[in-house]
Amino acid sequence: MNPRGTRVRRARRAPRSVWLAAGAVVLAGTGVTAVAVTGGSEGTGADDNSRPAKAHTLALDGKDAKQRELPRTETQLFSLVGVSWKDSADVFEGTAQIRTRSADDGTWTDWRDLDFDIRAPESQEGDDSGVRGASEPLWVGPSDAVEARVVAGGKETAVPQALRLDMIDPGETDTGKGQGKGSGTDKSSARPKKTDTAAPSPSATDPGTAPSTAPEPTGASSEPAQAPATDQPASPTAPAPSGEPTEEPQEPTAEPSALAPSQEPTAEPSAPTEDPTASTPPATEEPTEEPQEPTAEPSAPAPGQEPTAEPSAAPTGEPTTQPSAQPDPAESTGPTGPTAPAAPAIVSRADWGADESLVADPPSYLDKVDAVFVHHTAGTNSYDCAESPAIIRAILTYHVKTNGWNDIGYNFFVDKCGTVFEGRAGGVDKPVRGAHTYGFNGYSSGVSLLGDYENGGTPTPAAKQAIADVSAWKLGLHGVDPEAKVTLTAAGDTGVYKTGEKATLNTVSGHRDGFATLCPGATLYSALPEIRRTAGASVYAH
């Protein structure tokens, strides 16, 4: 639970843009008003099979000032839900629980708690007039009805003003990449064919296709460790992230991350002589020291992508010379710094289907990334990894349209299959200022693991390795040791530190180390010492 705390409210600037288009619809038999909120443009820019994410709300009105209840109510299609209120400075203490009805089979879930660990950024972004207080969002999968109850607790005598339920439909995109490296089409939110978000959709329209196109990455910790996203040296049979085994050596430059390891050998058949260096130009820095063996050892050329020692034996050996999953990180307008010889595979915003029309203002940058804070999304652990892009699209929409922030809060996401996703825009290799750890956003980068690791979830080996690798790489860009400590000054009252107080933290810390919260959950927090050691030994560490 967040500390109530108070903070000086600076004069709020005018809203960046008018991006809400609201249509009021009275839900049959409930008297509750639903507001459909849509983005101002097509968003993803994908083909006709795609549709942008959408949001709509239900006002939680009532005569009892201390509590609110919403009876079972049919709604427009949604897959992520949370509650929000008018003033972000009004830190809510109490409980909020929701139940949802599956759009597939009509079954109702048990009551689930919403967490209240979000604080608006301690910057001008957090003082924007459109910023609202909110719970953490909860991924529930395609749903078409909801029930809610909110009760003020602790010192609270009333629920916050303008309390509402926020529901997000992540839309569909043919570019969303999940399930390890993200091959195939993201259909996780496509099955309930309800594209009319202007009015509530009754359960009678319930379709029955599955939310995920690839069930193989279930929750088992041992399975995801074998997925491509674990950055294990790719086997000769592992396809490129796009699902194309590719027959031409030039293709890897068009596909991010894991393409290089499995495709380098395809460049060799035309020249199986003792001078294969001509076929390893993608390495750009140095050809491998042992070029004679690529045809016999398909994964051997992978280390050649890296100017460091042979990382092919490391579980995270994604040998790309750039954060190649990004569109053009090198062209970011932010400040530049030392560049790493290689980056872990990172799925770009374009590849997970970010709606860039939501982002009104350019990113802001730090002088240096001194630390990485590890988070969890506090959502479900039962998602399939093919759903990861949809989950992230929904969180982006929630952070912008519900919280009122300029962009998604976290700098990176990791799923249980070990896939790393770009979060806030601005360049993965740049010190982009995020909105993830109140009081310390001005010094750090935030990495959030999809799932709930406080209530029984356990991070997979693949996820821990991916967090370690991206943390090592990000800190390494700024000459920071992932196994060291750093002293930072709190820029706000976090419930752990007072404004201006010095905090000595690990350079890879948990959210709870800087802010009064349970995040990143007990099991993920207890894994941080291992993650720090793994980061120190990572091929991406400097």
Side-chain angles (χ1 to χ4, degrees), residues 438-454:
Y438 181 78
F440 298 98
N441 289 310
Y443 312 100
S444 62
S445 186
V447 180
S448 190
L449 179 59
L450 299 183
D452 182 353
Y453 299 94
E454 178 63 27

PDB file of all heavy atoms in Angstrom, residues 438-454:
ATOM      1  N   TYR A 438       8.782   5.958  -8.461  1.00  0.00           N
ATOM      2  CA  TYR A 438       8.619   7.313  -7.940  1.00  0.00           C
ATOM      3  C   TYR A 438       9.771   7.678  -7.012  1.00  0.00           C
ATOM      4  O   TYR A 438      10.140   6.914  -6.114  1.00  0.00           O
ATOM      5  CB  TYR A 438       7.289   7.419  -7.186  1.00  0.00           C
ATOM      6  CG  TYR A 438       7.020   8.797  -6.627  1.00  0.00           C
ATOM      7  CD1 TYR A 438       6.561   9.818  -7.452  1.00  0.00           C
ATOM      8  CD2 TYR A 438       7.235   9.070  -5.279  1.00  0.00           C
ATOM      9  CE1 TYR A 438       6.328  11.084  -6.954  1.00  0.00           C
ATOM     10  CE2 TYR A 438       7.004  10.334  -4.762  1.00  0.00           C
ATOM     11  CZ  TYR A 438       6.549  11.355  -5.611  1.00  0.00           C
ATOM     12  OH  TYR A 438       6.328  12.601  -5.114  1.00  0.00           O
ATOM     13  N   GLY A 439      10.342   8.850  -7.239  1.00  0.00           N
ATOM     14  CA  GLY A 439      11.461   9.331  -6.442  1.00  0.00           C
ATOM     15  C   GLY A 439      12.809   9.052  -7.058  1.00  0.00           C
ATOM     16  O   GLY A 439      13.799   9.722  -6.731  1.00  0.00           O
ATOM     17  N   PHE A 440      12.868   8.062  -7.972  1.00  0.00           N
ATOM     18  CA  PHE A 440      14.159   7.676  -8.549  1.00  0.00           C
ATOM     19  C   PHE A 440      14.120   7.542 -10.073  1.00  0.00           C
ATOM     20  O   PHE A 440      15.037   6.999 -10.671  1.00  0.00           O
ATOM     21  CB  PHE A 440      14.644   6.362  -7.916  1.00  0.00           C
ATOM     22  CG  PHE A 440      14.875   6.480  -6.432  1.00  0.00           C
ATOM     23  CD1 PHE A 440      13.909   6.064  -5.529  1.00  0.00           C
ATOM     24  CD2 PHE A 440      16.044   7.036  -5.931  1.00  0.00           C
ATOM     25  CE1 PHE A 440      14.099   6.182  -4.161  1.00  0.00           C
ATOM     26  CE2 PHE A 440      16.251   7.166  -4.568  1.00  0.00           C
ATOM     27  CZ  PHE A 440      15.277   6.736  -3.674  1.00  0.00           C
ATOM     28  N   ASN A 441      13.050   8.051 -10.687  1.00  0.00           N
ATOM     29  CA  ASN A 441      12.985   7.989 -12.145  1.00  0.00           C
ATOM     30  C   ASN A 441      14.096   8.795 -12.813  1.00  0.00           C
ATOM     31  O   ASN A 441      14.456   8.522 -13.961  1.00  0.00           O
ATOM     32  CB  ASN A 441      11.630   8.522 -12.638  1.00  0.00           C
ATOM     33  CG  ASN A 441      10.491   7.572 -12.326  1.00  0.00           C
ATOM     34  OD1 ASN A 441      10.570   6.385 -12.605  1.00  0.00           O
ATOM     35  ND2 ASN A 441       9.419   8.092 -11.743  1.00  0.00           N
ATOM     36  N   GLY A 442      14.623   9.780 -12.101  1.00  0.00           N
ATOM     37  CA  GLY A 442      15.652  10.648 -12.673  1.00  0.00           C
ATOM     38  C   GLY A 442      17.029  10.035 -12.750  1.00  0.00           C
ATOM     39  O   GLY A 442      17.965  10.676 -13.252  1.00  0.00           O
ATOM     40  N   TYR A 443      17.166   8.787 -12.276  1.00  0.00           N
ATOM     41  CA  TYR A 443      18.478   8.137 -12.292  1.00  0.00           C
ATOM     42  C   TYR A 443      18.462   6.755 -12.928  1.00  0.00           C
ATOM     43  O   TYR A 443      19.526   6.124 -13.047  1.00  0.00           O
ATOM     44  CB  TYR A 443      19.000   7.926 -10.860  1.00  0.00           C
ATOM     45  CG  TYR A 443      18.915   9.109  -9.940  1.00  0.00           C
ATOM     46  CD1 TYR A 443      17.875   9.218  -9.012  1.00  0.00           C
ATOM     47  CD2 TYR A 443      19.874  10.113  -9.971  1.00  0.00           C
ATOM     48  CE1 TYR A 443      17.789  10.288  -8.149  1.00  0.00           C
ATOM     49  CE2 TYR A 443      19.794  11.200  -9.111  1.00  0.00           C
ATOM     50  CZ  TYR A 443      18.752  11.284  -8.205  1.00  0.00           C
ATOM     51  OH  TYR A 443      18.673  12.358  -7.348  1.00  0.00           O
ATOM     52  N   SER A 444      17.298   6.263 -13.281  1.00  0.00           N
ATOM     53  CA  SER A 444      17.209   4.820 -13.498  1.00  0.00           C
ATOM     54  C   SER A 444      16.422   4.421 -14.731  1.00  0.00           C
ATOM     55  O   SER A 444      15.713   5.218 -15.342  1.00  0.00           O
ATOM     56  CB  SER A 444      16.572   4.165 -12.271  1.00  0.00           C
ATOM     57  OG  SER A 444      15.247   4.659 -12.096  1.00  0.00           O
ATOM     58  N   SER A 445      16.533   3.135 -15.043  1.00  0.00           N
ATOM     59  CA  SER A 445      15.741   2.492 -16.082  1.00  0.00           C
ATOM     60  C   SER A 445      14.874   1.438 -15.391  1.00  0.00           C
ATOM     61  O   SER A 445      15.291   0.845 -14.392  1.00  0.00           O
ATOM     62  CB  SER A 445      16.658   1.836 -17.120  1.00  0.00           C
ATOM     63  OG  SER A 445      15.936   1.318 -18.210  1.00  0.00           O
ATOM     64  N   GLY A 446      13.673   1.204 -15.919  1.00  0.00           N
ATOM     65  CA  GLY A 446      12.770   0.249 -15.299  1.00  0.00           C
ATOM     66  C   GLY A 446      12.507  -0.950 -16.186  1.00  0.00           C
ATOM     67  O   GLY A 446      12.195  -0.799 -17.372  1.00  0.00           O
ATOM     68  N   VAL A 447      12.646  -2.151 -15.617  1.00  0.00           N
ATOM     69  CA  VAL A 447      12.388  -3.405 -16.334  1.00  0.00           C
ATOM     70  C   VAL A 447      11.255  -4.117 -15.607  1.00  0.00           C
ATOM     71  O   VAL A 447      11.361  -4.392 -14.413  1.00  0.00           O
ATOM     72  CB  VAL A 447      13.633  -4.310 -16.361  1.00  0.00           C
ATOM     73  CG1 VAL A 447      13.330  -5.608 -17.106  1.00  0.00           C
ATOM     74  CG2 VAL A 447      14.816  -3.588 -16.994  1.00  0.00           C
ATOM     75  N   SER A 448      10.168  -4.418 -16.311  1.00  0.00           N
ATOM     76  CA  SER A 448       9.013  -5.038 -15.665  1.00  0.00           C
ATOM     77  C   SER A 448       8.741  -6.417 -16.246  1.00  0.00           C
ATOM     78  O   SER A 448       8.641  -6.584 -17.466  1.00  0.00           O
ATOM     79  CB  SER A 448       7.770  -4.158 -15.840  1.00  0.00           C
ATOM     80  OG  SER A 448       6.708  -4.626 -15.044  1.00  0.00           O
ATOM     81  N   LEU A 449       8.621  -7.398 -15.369  1.00  0.00           N
ATOM     82  CA  LEU A 449       8.319  -8.770 -15.770  1.00  0.00           C
ATOM     83  C   LEU A 449       6.809  -8.966 -15.790  1.00  0.00           C
ATOM     84  O   LEU A 449       6.125  -8.679 -14.799  1.00  0.00           O
ATOM     85  CB  LEU A 449       8.971  -9.757 -14.794  1.00  0.00           C
ATOM     86  CG  LEU A 449       8.732 -11.249 -15.058  1.00  0.00           C
ATOM     87  CD1 LEU A 449       9.231 -11.659 -16.435  1.00  0.00           C
ATOM     88  CD2 LEU A 449       9.422 -12.086 -13.972  1.00  0.00           C
ATOM     89  N   LEU A 450       6.280  -9.430 -16.904  1.00  0.00           N
ATOM     90  CA  LEU A 450       4.849  -9.671 -17.012  1.00  0.00           C
ATOM     91  C   LEU A 450       4.435 -10.775 -16.044  1.00  0.00           C
ATOM     92  O   LEU A 450       5.003 -11.866 -16.048  1.00  0.00           O
ATOM     93  CB  LEU A 450       4.481 -10.078 -18.438  1.00  0.00           C
ATOM     94  CG  LEU A 450       4.773  -9.080 -19.565  1.00  0.00           C
ATOM     95  CD1 LEU A 450       4.266  -9.632 -20.896  1.00  0.00           C
ATOM     96  CD2 LEU A 450       4.155  -7.724 -19.285  1.00  0.00           C
ATOM     97  N   GLY A 451       3.459 -10.482 -15.200  1.00  0.00           N
ATOM     98  CA  GLY A 451       2.988 -11.484 -14.259  1.00  0.00           C
ATOM     99  C   GLY A 451       2.987 -10.985 -12.834  1.00  0.00           C
ATOM    100  O   GLY A 451       3.438  -9.879 -12.527  1.00  0.00           O
ATOM    101  N   ASP A 452       2.467 -11.827 -11.941  1.00  0.00           N
ATOM    102  CA  ASP A 452       2.347 -11.517 -10.516  1.00  0.00           C
ATOM    103  C   ASP A 452       3.281 -12.437  -9.745  1.00  0.00           C
ATOM    104  O   ASP A 452       3.106 -13.658  -9.741  1.00  0.00           O
ATOM    105  CB  ASP A 452       0.900 -11.731 -10.067  1.00  0.00           C
ATOM    106  CG  ASP A 452       0.662 -11.380  -8.606  1.00  0.00           C
ATOM    107  OD1 ASP A 452       1.636 -11.101  -7.880  1.00  0.00           O
ATOM    108  OD2 ASP A 452      -0.506 -11.394  -8.185  1.00  0.00           O
ATOM    109  N   TYR A 453       4.256 -11.858  -9.054  1.00  0.00           N
ATOM    110  CA  TYR A 453       5.248 -12.659  -8.329  1.00  0.00           C
ATOM    111  C   TYR A 453       5.182 -12.434  -6.824  1.00  0.00           C
ATOM    112  O   TYR A 453       6.123 -12.731  -6.105  1.00  0.00           O
ATOM    113  CB  TYR A 453       6.646 -12.376  -8.909  1.00  0.00           C
ATOM    114  CG  TYR A 453       6.655 -12.779 -10.362  1.00  0.00           C
ATOM    115  CD1 TYR A 453       6.394 -11.842 -11.362  1.00  0.00           C
ATOM    116  CD2 TYR A 453       6.807 -14.107 -10.726  1.00  0.00           C
ATOM    117  CE1 TYR A 453       6.311 -12.231 -12.694  1.00  0.00           C
ATOM    118  CE2 TYR A 453       6.727 -14.502 -12.059  1.00  0.00           C
ATOM    119  CZ  TYR A 453       6.470 -13.562 -13.030  1.00  0.00           C
ATOM    120  OH  TYR A 453       6.378 -13.948 -14.341  1.00  0.00           O
ATOM    121  N   GLU A 454       4.013 -11.945  -6.393  1.00  0.00           N
ATOM    122  CA  GLU A 454       3.743 -11.806  -4.965  1.00  0.00           C
ATOM    123  C   GLU A 454       2.791 -12.886  -4.482  1.00  0.00           C
ATOM    124  O   GLU A 454       2.841 -13.293  -3.330  1.00  0.00           O
ATOM    125  CB  GLU A 454       3.143 -10.418  -4.678  1.00  0.00           C
ATOM    126  CG  GLU A 454       2.777 -10.172  -3.218  1.00  0.00           C
ATOM    127  CD  GLU A 454       3.973 -10.211  -2.275  1.00  0.00           C
ATOM    128  OE1 GLU A 454       5.106  -9.921  -2.723  1.00  0.00           O
ATOM    129  OE2 GLU A 454       3.777 -10.535  -1.095  1.00  0.00           O
TER     130      GLU A 454
END
